[in-house]
Amino acid sequence: MIDLRSDTVTRPTPGMRAAMANAEVGDDQYGDDPSVNALQERVAALLGKEAALFVPSGTMANQVALKMLTRPGDDVLVGDEAHIVWHEAGASAANAGVQFTVIGQGGRFTAADVRARAKPRGHVVQPGTTLVCVESTHNRGGGFVFDPVEAVAIGQAARELGLGTYLDGARLFNAAVASGRSLAELAAPFDVVGVALSKGLGCPVGSLVAGPRALMPLAMQARRRYGGAMRQSGILAAAGLYALDHHYDLLAEDHANAALIAQAVAQTPAAIALDDVQSNIVIFHLPASLPNAATLVARAHAAGVWVQAFGPRTVRATTHLDLSAADCATAGRVLAAAVLAGA
Ligand SMILES: *Cc1c(COP(=O)(O)O)cnc(C)c1O
């Protein structure tokens, strides 16, 4: 089975398992875990931030970031179809107690959108806007890299308006490889940045939230409150350190493999925004004359290719470490045939 449901389906390699088995550990709640400390310092440095905190998941990174940068009742500006709005079971409302104002289109927005939609603080009627969130690469947007030039303008506008800034960079490693820019450059416009180890880097568990040292007590308190404070988590952090050494450079192959799939799908009447296929995600839409997503997923599955229905007529395929170029060429052929087999 060629499993393209997500880049989270990878299994740790023998080298990664060996690194985990041999990890030096201690009680991280006392700051005693050398592997966790090393990972936090390394990721903070890569992102150009003062400090980073290891958390169990990308969702927790997002939720901790909200507690670092907002208060209950605040308004948060966010792009369309953001993970933090769509894929976290309502956590932002349930935990941080914030409300979202969706701006722009398809996950892209501009500094002008921020200026137009930010609500004043201290108003007796309107919810004060305190935070702007950007997602890059954009998951539901088909893996595009958020325009780094616009991100700088958004950061500038936010500072002028007194707003915090958060980058949901669960796939920021992919964004850096796809754009040829450094992680630090992509992270620079933002106060706080989340990155995931369990996506393209192929770790079993883990994300980090990075930002100013002064905000880390709030981050640690939120992580504890959400039940995400761990003990000998160096076993997990060791996988992250291993992945930074051995898997980061392999992301370019995932991107080339996604392009193979996208090009095959583009030969069919399915709608695909090829320009947005910049990383390891391929999203395409099936107009009414074609099979719906459930039919397409079932057909492809019967032919050995597993993809995900992302909506009634939307399909996502995600490449990753455990797939070869040959696997992805096969997947492209199977998906194209499944589309062409008709409604
Ligand atoms: C996957 C993802 C997350 C959440 O990561 P989990 O580890 O699954 O909780 C957050 N943001 C984006 C953009 C993602 O794609």
Side-chain angles (χ1 to χ4, degrees), residues 57-59 62 83 88 135 137 139 168 170-171 198-199:
S57 70
T59 298
N62 286 352
H83 193 284
E88 299 182 14
E135 182 175 316
T137 66
N139 184 353
D168 176 358
R171 292 194 181 84
S198 53
K199 299 269 169 84

Side-chain angles (χ1 to χ4, degrees), residues 171 181 281 293:
R171 292 194 181 84
R181 295 176 190 245
I281 296 177

Side-chain angles (χ1 to χ4, degrees), residues 16 19-21 23-25 33 35-36 39 54-56 197 203-207 230-243:
M16 181 178 279
M20 296 171 76
E24 274 188 65
V25 298
D33 192 302
S35 301
V36 170
L39 177 68
F54 188 48
V55 295
L197 304 171
C203 294
V205 178
S207 280
M230 299 172 283
R231 300 292 177 177
Q232 285 72 28
S233 35
I235 287 179
L236 304 173
L241 290 164
Y242 179 90

Side-chain angles (χ1 to χ4, degrees), residues 23 41 53 68 74 104 112-113 121 140 147 156 180 202-204 230 235 240 260 269 279 286 305-306 324 332 341:
E41 279 160 30
L53 189 70
M68 296 164 79
D74 285 357
D113 293 325
R121 260 192 253 194
R140 297 183 64 86
D147 178 1
Q156 180 63 34
C203 294
M230 299 172 283
I235 287 179
L260 284 178
S279 61
L286 298 157
V305 172
W306 212 352
S324 66

Side-chain angles (χ1 to χ4, degrees), residues 46-65:
L46 281 172
L47 293 170
K49 303 299 179 199
E50 287 175 358
L53 189 70
F54 188 48
V55 295
S57 70
T59 298
M60 193 175 292
N62 286 352
Q63 294 304 313
V64 165

Side-chain angles (χ1 to χ4, degrees), residues 64-147:
V64 165
L66 287 175
K67 292 306 284 182
M68 296 164 79
L69 296 164
T70 66
R71 310 276 276 168
D74 285 357
D75 178 61
V76 175
L77 302 182
V78 65
D80 210 3
E81 307 235 351
H83 193 284
I84 204 168
V85 177
W86 277 69
H87 287 239
E88 299 182 14
S92 308
N95 297 329
V98 296
Q99 71 167 44
F100 288 114
T101 297
V102 174
I103 60 176
Q105 258 199 331
R108 293 179 167 96
F109 61 89
T110 65
D113 293 325
V114 171
R115 291 182 201 281
R117 304 298 295 282
K119 298 164 199 70
R121 260 192 253 194
H123 195 280
V124 292
V125 177
Q126 295 181 13
T129 306
T130 56
L131 180 64
V132 183
C133 289
V134 164
E135 182 175 316
S136 187
T137 66
H138 200 284
N139 184 353
R140 297 183 64 86
F144 69 80
V145 178
F146 195 92
D147 178 1

